[in-house]
Amino acid sequence: MTDPKAIQPSALDQLPDRDPEETAEWQASLDAVAREAGPHRAAYLMRRTLERAEAGGVALPKLLETDYVNTIPTSAEPGLPGDPEVEARITAWNRWNAAAMVTRGAKHGVGGHIATFASAAWLYETGFNHFFKGKEADGSGDQLYIQGHASPGIYARAFLDGRLDEAHLDNFRQEAGGNGLPSYPHPRRLPWLWEFPTVSMGLGPLSAIYQARFNRYLTNRSIKDVSASHVWAFLGDGEMDEPESTAALALAAREELDNLTFVINCNLQRLDGPVRANFKIVQELEAQFRGAGWNVIKTLWGTAWDELFQLDTTGALVRRLREVPDAQIQTYQTRGAAYIREDFFGKDPALAEMAKLLSDDKILECFHLSRGGHEARKVYAAYRAAVEHKGAPTVILAQTVKGHTLGEGFASKNANHQMKKLSVDEFKTMRDLLELPIKDSDFADGVVPYGHPGADSPEVRYLQERRAALGGPAPARRTHALAPLPAPAEKAFASFDKGSGSQNVATTMAFVRLVKDLVRDKETGRRWVPIVPDEARTFGMESLFPSLGIYSPKGQTYEPVDRDQLMYYKEAENGQILNEGITEAGSMADFIAASTAYATHGEAMIPFYIFYSMFGWQRTADQMWQLGDQLGRGFLVGATAGRTTLTGEGLQHADGHSPVIAATNPAALTYDPAFAYEIAVIVREGLRRMYGEAKPGEDQNVFYYLTVYNEPMPQPAKPAGLGVDEAIVKGLYRFNTAESAGVTAPANAPRIQLLGSGTAIHWALQAQRLLAEEWGVAADVWSATSWSELRRDALEADAALLRGEERVPYVRQALHGAEGPVLAVSDYMRQVPDQIAQWVEQDWSSLGADGFGLSDTREAARRHFGVDAQSIVVAALAQLAARGEVKAASVKEAREKYGL
C-alpha cells in the first residue's frame, strides 16, 4: 500500500473529520485487505463500495470506468420475446442481400461497404423487431439515425419487407437513371425512406441530441405531444473521434434527455486500422459518457464467455481483459487457439490453469465469435434497460467483430473497410454458415443471387407483423399533406415601405423588428423558433426575452439579477427562444431539427437562426449541407455581415466570403439586402415559398440566407411602381437614376451603371453624387439583392437553351438598354458580384474586399480595400476612360485628389 504520508492533499482535507477514529478504522480495513488478499481485491471492494454509494444517492464523484465486462450480467437479462429462430433467419437473409448488393455493384465500379452492417446486423434487427416505433405509433414514432456505412443492410431489410425490389438493389449507388439507391442515408435522394443524412461523420450524433431536445421543446410548448418518441443514433467507435460527436453530451445529460439512446458499434476498427491500437476505446468512451452524466451500458461478451467468467474465481480473467489493448483483441480474432493460450492465458498463472479446462473449440468460440453485439438476447437486454432508464440519456457500447460472418478474409482485418466484394467461394461459405437455402446452381455465370424466402414466408409475415405492432415500416419519412400556413398580416411588412425618415437604422435591427411583429401574429406567431448562439444582445434581441421566454426544461429556478428591468432574462419551460450558448454547431443542429419538423412531426415550424456571418457558414458549412440534404426550411441570418462594417473586431470577425460559401449550396437562396423594405419583401416571399401556397414546379425544400449589417444608415422608402417586389426577389432592380436622384450632370454626360449590394449601396450612392458633381458623369444605381439568385436564373436559362428553349436570363433583361459600362461593388470579395459577369452584355468591372480583414474604422477599412465612394469613382472613371468617354487624365487626377 502507498505510504499514507505520501498521499497528496485532496478536497476532503478541507473538511473537518468528525470521527477520526472511524476514518482510521476504514483505512486500516482497506490496508488489511490489500495486504492479505492483494491489491486487486482491495480495488474490487472499493469499486463495489463506490457503486453502492452511487446507487444509494450518496454525493460522491461518479465511478467513470467499470470492468471490461457486460453491464447487465446474464442472470439479470430478460427473456427475448418473439421467435428468436425466425429473427435469426431474417437477419441471415439481410446479411446475405447486403453483401450481394455491394458485390454486384462492384462490377460497375461503384463501390460500397460490406463489413459495417455485418458487424452491426443484430444491433439493427433487434431494434426493428422489438423497439423502433414507426410513424403510426404514438406521437411521431421514433427517429432513427442510421450509421451511413450500414445502409446496405437497411436496403436489404426493405427488400425483404417488399418496399424495394431487385431492380432497386441492382441500382445501388447508381442514381442517374432513376430508381436508384443512394450510397448512404439521404432524404433528398430517397425521401420516402430516409429521414436523416448521417454519413458526414460526427453530425449524426450531434443532430440526434438536438432532435431529442427539440422533441421536448415541441411537447413543452404544446405544439405537439411527442413524449412517446425516442431518438436512436447508431454510431461507429471510430466516428466518436470527431469533435462534433461528443460536443453536446453535457447538454443531453443536463436536460435529462432520457428519450435518447446512442448505440455505438464498437468493432474496434476505423478505416485504416484499430481505433485505439494501444488502448481501449470502450473504456475511454465509458469514462467520457459517464463523466458527462450519461447512463452507460456495456454489451461486450456473448454467452460463450459465461463459462469463462464462472471459472474466474480470482479475478484474473477480468484483470487481463482490462489490460489487453484493442489491437491485440483484433489479433486474437485472426489467430488460432495455441496463440491465444500462450499470449492471453499464459500471462497469468491463474489464467494458465483456467485454460487447461478449456478446449480449443471453446477458446475459438469465445475469441472469434462471441461478442455481445452479435447476440439478440444481449442486445435486447441493453435496449430494454435503455428505454426504461429515466433521468438521463443512455449510451450502449456494443462490442462486435467488423466483417462478422463474411469469412476469415474479412473479420477484423485492417483493410476490410475498403474491401468491396466477396468471391463466389466466399459467398458459398457464408451461405453454409448462415444456413440459407441457396443452391450452387443459383450462381449463374458467377453472379451472386439475391435471396428471398417468399412474400408469404414465415420470415416475411413475422417481419411485417412486428412492424405493424410497432407502428409501421422503419425507417420511413413521411411527407405530410400540411395545409399552407396563412400569410401574416400585411401590416408587419408594409410598415417598412415608408422608410425610417431621418432615423438611422441598421438592417440587423430592421430584421429583428420584423420578427418581433411576426411572432405576435395570431395564426403563425407560435411557430417561429428564434435561435441564437449567446449573442442576442449583440443583435438587439433582448427585448424578446420577457415576451417569448428562453426555453429551459427546468423553467427558471432562480431570480434573475435583472428582474427589476423591463427586458429581464426570462427562462421558461415553454419558452420560445433557443439560446444555445457559444456553439454555432449546436445552434445549427437546433435549426435542422426545427426546419424539418414539417416532415418529422407533421408540424410546420419557422426557425430563424441569427449569427455572426463570419462564424456561421465558415464554421458549420457542413451542417448547412446537412440541412439541404434533410430538406430543411427556414431563415439563416448572417448578422454583423460584411468585411468592413464590424469596426474594431478585425480579421477573425470580418466576413468577406460567406455569400461565396452559401452560393455553393443548391438549397440556399442567398440575399444581401441593402434596405429594410427589401428584407420585408424577401422574408414575406420566403414564408410564402416555404410554408404557403407553392407555385407550380416550385421547390419548397429550400432555405434562405440573409446578410444583415450593424451599420446604422437612413432607410429609404420603397420605390414606387409595379414589379419592384418581384425584382427584389429575383435579385436586381434599379434603385434610382442620376436624374431621379437629383444629382446634376451635364446634358449627354457619360453614363455608368453602379450595382451595389448590402451596405455597399450607400458607397455607390455617394459615388453617384461625386461622379455627377465633380466629374460630370451620370450614374444609375442598382440594388443587387442576390447575386447568387441572378446566377441561378442564368444557369437555368443556359440549360434551357441546350434543350432548344429560348430564354433570356433575368439579369440581361433587367440591364437591357442601360447605357454605359457596369461597375459592381459589395462588401465581400469580388468573386461574389463576379458570379453574374458572363451574362451581362455591358462592359463589366467589379470591386470587392478581397484579402484578410483588419481592425480599424469603417472608413479606413473601406479605403484599404478600395471599395469606398472615392475608390468607386476612380474605378468608374477608369472604365469610361478605357471606352474613350472621359479623358485618361481624369483617372490620374481623381486618384491624386482622393489620396488613392
Side-chain angles (χ1 to χ4, degrees):
M1 285 292 290
T2 304
D3 182 354
K5 295 179 181 179
I7 297 176
Q8 296 297 312
S10 71
L12 294 177
D13 296 325
Q14 309 301 316
L15 303 175
D17 190 341
R18 295 188 302 177
D19 193 340
E21 208 171 302
E22 181 184 37
T23 303
E25 289 176 1
W26 277 75
Q27 293 172 336
S29 296
L30 181 63
D31 290 344
V33 170
R35 186 171 55 252
E36 300 299 328
H40 297 301
R41 177 61 181 170
Y44 176 85
L45 290 176
M46 287 300 299
R47 287 200 301 274
R48 293 297 174 263
T49 302
L50 286 172
E51 288 172 355
R52 184 61 176 264
E54 182 179 335
V58 178
L60 284 174
K62 289 188 176 182
L63 185 66
L64 295 186
E65 188 178 318
T66 61
D67 287 323
Y68 201 67
V69 296
N70 294 350
T71 302
I72 304 172
T74 301
S75 59
E77 292 171 0
L80 181 64
D83 190 328
E85 291 185 6
V86 174
E87 291 180 18
R89 292 201 299 273
I90 290 171
T91 305
W93 284 116
N94 291 339
R95 287 182 181 279
W96 177 272
N97 288 323
M101 178 195 326
V102 176
T103 297
R104 288 166 70 128
K107 292 182 179 295
H108 303 287
V110 295
H113 299 283
I114 300 178
T116 295
F117 178 73
S119 68
W122 277 114
L123 302 181
Y124 291 106
E125 292 300 324
T126 304
F128 284 128
N129 288 327
H130 301 287
F131 292 94
F132 303 158
K133 295 186 287 292
K135 294 299 182 183
E136 303 304 324
D138 291 342
S140 304
D142 288 353
Q143 287 81 54
L144 308 180
Y145 287 77
I146 304 296
Q147 189 179 3
H149 292 147
S151 62
I154 308 305
Y155 291 140
R157 193 171 217 275
F159 170 66
L160 205 66
D161 193 14
R163 294 199 287 164
L164 295 174
D165 57 28
E166 288 193 12
H168 287 109
L169 302 192
D170 268 343
N171 281 313
F172 175 60
R173 291 193 170 198
Q174 299 172 73
E175 300 176 80
N179 204 38
L181 300 179
S183 311
Y184 305 120
H186 208 308
R188 188 166 286 275
R189 290 300 182 200
L190 204 61
W192 61 267
L193 180 72
W194 298 119
E195 278 195 289
F196 308 108
T198 53
V199 81
S200 190
M201 295 297 177
L203 298 190
L206 179 67
S207 292
I209 289 173
Y210 281 89
Q211 182 66 56
R213 196 278 198 92
F214 190 73
N215 289 358
R216 290 280 173 84
Y217 173 89
L218 286 178
T219 300
N220 290 342
R221 289 197 55 222
S222 300
I223 300 291
K224 182 179 182 179
D225 184 358
V226 293
S227 54
S229 294
H230 200 89
V231 177
W232 300 82
F234 288 84
L235 318 168
D237 47 1
E239 181 180 1
M240 301 312 293
D241 284 348
E242 288 285 2
E244 295 87 352
S245 294
T246 55
L249 298 186
L251 167 72
R254 184 169 65 247
E255 299 202 1
E256 300 178 356
L257 298 180
D258 49 27
N259 60 338
L260 170 67
T261 297
F262 275 15
V263 182
I264 303 182
N265 178 16
C266 297
N267 55 35
L268 314 185
Q269 285 185 256
R270 54 190 178 198
L271 275 63
D272 288 333
V275 179
R276 295 289 184 272
N278 295 297
F279 308 94
K280 300 188 79 65
I281 185 59
V282 169
Q283 300 299 88
E284 179 180 318
L285 291 174
E286 178 185 28
Q288 193 169 14
F289 278 86
R290 283 187 184 275
W294 286 52
N295 175 44
V296 178
I297 299 173
K298 293 197 290 192
T299 302
L300 307 180
W301 308 109
T303 52
W305 282 81
D306 289 348
E307 180 183 345
L308 274 66
F309 288 125
Q310 290 171 0
L311 293 172
D312 184 28
T313 58
T314 65
L317 175 61
V318 173
R319 291 196 300 272
R320 181 67 178 137
L321 288 174
R322 288 192 64 178
E323 68 187 24
V324 175
D326 283 353
Q328 193 63 25
I329 293 286
Q330 298 294 83
T331 298
Y332 295 148
Q333 177 69 36
T334 62
R335 300 299 177 87
Y339 178 88
I340 298 171
R341 284 182 186 277
E342 178 182 352
D343 192 84
F344 181 84
F345 292 97
K347 302 294 184 182
D348 185 294
L351 288 180
E353 289 300 312
M354 179 191 297
K356 294 177 182 178
L357 304 176
L358 304 174
S359 67
D360 285 355
D361 286 345
K362 181 65 177 182
I363 288 175
L364 294 179
E365 180 187 14
C366 289
F367 283 85
H368 285 193
L369 302 174
S370 188
R371 299 291 187 273
H374 295 321
E375 295 189 14
R377 179 186 174 112
K378 302 291 186 184
V379 176
Y380 179 85
Y383 285 8
R384 179 166 158 182
V387 298
E388 291 178 352
H389 186 81
K390 300 302 176 186
T394 294
V395 60
I396 296 169
L397 304 174
Q399 186 165 258
T400 66
V401 174
K402 193 166 186 177
H404 184 59
T405 74
L406 297 181
E408 293 182 0
F410 265 83
S412 293
K413 294 297 176 68
N414 282 339
N416 62 18
H417 188 83
Q418 305 301 331
M419 298 164 70
K420 312 298 183 186
K421 58 185 177 180
L422 297 174
S423 68
V424 170
D425 288 341
E426 287 171 326
F427 266 109
K428 291 178 179 179
T429 300
M430 180 183 178
R431 171 202 61 189
D432 296 341
L433 175 65
L434 298 176
E435 300 180 347
L436 292 173
I438 296 174
K439 302 186 292 293
D440 285 355
S441 59
D442 292 335
F443 292 83
D445 299 321
V447 177
V448 58
Y450 294 121
H452 199 292
D456 196 40
S457 64
E459 293 91 337
V460 173
R461 289 201 308 271
Y462 181 90
L463 182 156
Q464 294 175 341
E465 288 168 0
R466 291 306 308 141
R467 289 312 317 155
L470 287 166
R477 181 180 183 273
R478 286 285 173 85
T479 303
H480 299 265
L482 299 179
L485 292 183
E490 182 62 25
K491 180 181 178 182
F493 305 104
S495 63
F496 292 90
D497 290 353
K498 61 184 179 181
S500 63
S502 60
Q503 183 184 8
N504 288 339
V505 177
T507 52
T508 298
M509 294 300 98
F511 176 82
V512 171
R513 177 186 150 191
L514 176 61
V515 168
K516 286 173 64 177
D517 290 339
L518 293 175
V519 296
R520 295 192 187 104
D521 185 81
K522 292 181 179 179
E523 297 288 340
T524 60
R526 65 197 294 263
R527 297 191 175 274
W528 283 86
V529 183
I531 303 168
V532 60
D534 199 38
E535 290 281 5
R537 297 182 192 278
T538 301
F539 308 136
M541 292 174 58
E542 64 267 34
S543 61
L544 298 177
F545 289 171
S547 58
L548 301 184
I550 299 166
Y551 173 73
S552 169
K554 295 290 187 181
Q556 193 153 37
T557 61
Y558 61 93
E559 182 177 354
V561 67
D562 54 0
R563 183 62 183 86
D564 57 341
Q565 298 178 15
L566 181 63
M567 294 184 288
Y568 71 97
Y569 194 83
K570 177 187 175 183
E571 294 189 84
E573 189 175 353
N574 64 346
Q576 194 164 349
I577 301 169
L578 292 172
N579 191 318
E580 283 308 331
I582 306 175
T583 167
E584 282 82 9
S587 299
M588 265 308 300
D590 263 337
F591 187 90
I592 292 170
S595 71
T596 54
Y598 74 92
T600 308
H601 295 297
E603 295 288 344
M605 305 299 288
I606 311 171
F608 81 85
Y609 163 33
I610 188 167
F611 50 87
Y612 266 81
S613 67
M614 179 68 170
F615 302 144
W617 283 90
Q618 177 165 301
R619 290 189 177 181
T620 57
D622 196 12
Q623 287 178 287
M624 274 70 165
W625 276 96
Q626 182 188 16
L627 168 64
D629 291 346
Q630 202 167 315
L631 310 177
R633 305 170 184 174
F635 297 95
L636 297 175
V637 183
T640 60
R643 181 146 280 167
T644 69
T645 63
L646 192 58
T647 55
E649 295 286 2
L651 186 154
Q652 291 181 333
H653 287 65
D655 171 27
H657 52 278
S658 71
V660 177
I661 307 175
T664 66
N665 192 310
L669 278 60
T670 303
Y671 286 87
D672 186 26
F675 305 123
Y677 67 79
E678 294 177 350
I679 292 173
V681 169
I682 294 163
V683 171
R684 181 176 57 193
E685 170 64 9
L687 290 173
R688 182 208 61 78
R689 176 166 179 175
M690 295 184 291
Y691 300 98
E693 294 283 357
K695 298 175 182 177
E698 190 173 51
D699 185 7
Q700 288 188 282
N701 299 317
V702 296
F703 59 92
Y704 282 67
Y705 176 51
L706 279 71
T707 50
V708 293
Y709 298 83
N710 69 326
E711 185 173 13
M713 299 294 290
Q715 296 297 325
K718 184 164 69 173
L722 296 175
V724 173
D725 287 8
E726 182 182 4
I728 289 172
V729 171
K730 287 185 174 181
L732 182 68
Y733 69 100
R734 182 154 44 196
F735 176 71
N736 69 18
T737 64
E739 292 76 17
S740 65
V743 295
T744 303
N748 300 319
R751 186 172 290 269
I752 190 169
Q753 308 299 316
L754 301 180
L755 277 58
S757 68
T759 197
I761 203 167
H762 297 287
W763 322 329
L765 290 168
Q766 294 172 39
Q768 180 188 50
R769 180 179 54 81
L770 292 174
L771 282 167
E773 295 177 355
E774 300 183 7
W775 305 99
V777 172
D780 300 336
V781 175
W782 300 68
S783 179
T785 53
S786 179
W787 307 102
S788 62
E789 284 306 290
L790 293 173
R791 177 179 176 82
R792 193 192 305 265
D793 171 81
L795 290 172
E796 290 172 357
D798 285 356
L801 285 174
L802 291 176
R803 297 191 299 267
E805 303 170 18
E806 287 295 329
R807 181 176 163 191
V808 179
Y810 171 75
V811 63
R812 188 170 296 169
Q813 295 178 44
L815 291 171
H816 180 70
E819 297 179 41
V822 169
L823 174 59
V825 60
S826 81
D827 204 15
Y828 301 94
M829 55 197 303
R830 289 176 60 182
Q831 186 175 338
V832 174
D834 284 348
Q835 292 179 83
I836 66 170
Q838 71 185 82
W839 293 281
V840 174
E841 293 179 322
Q842 293 86 347
D843 291 341
W844 173 271
S845 184
S846 63
L847 296 175
D850 287 76
F852 289 106
L854 75 167
S855 299
D856 214 311
T857 64
R858 291 178 178 128
E859 294 74 16
R862 285 161 189 167
R863 177 55 58 91
H864 169 80
F865 287 110
V867 293
D868 60 352
Q870 292 78 11
S871 298
I872 294 173
V873 169
V874 172
L877 293 174
Q879 269 191 289
L880 293 168
R883 294 161 57 95
E885 296 180 21
V886 301
K887 296 178 180 179
S890 297
V891 182
K892 182 174 184 294
E893 182 183 349
R895 280 201 300 266
E896 293 174 350
K897 178 175 181 176
Y898 299 135
L900 298 178

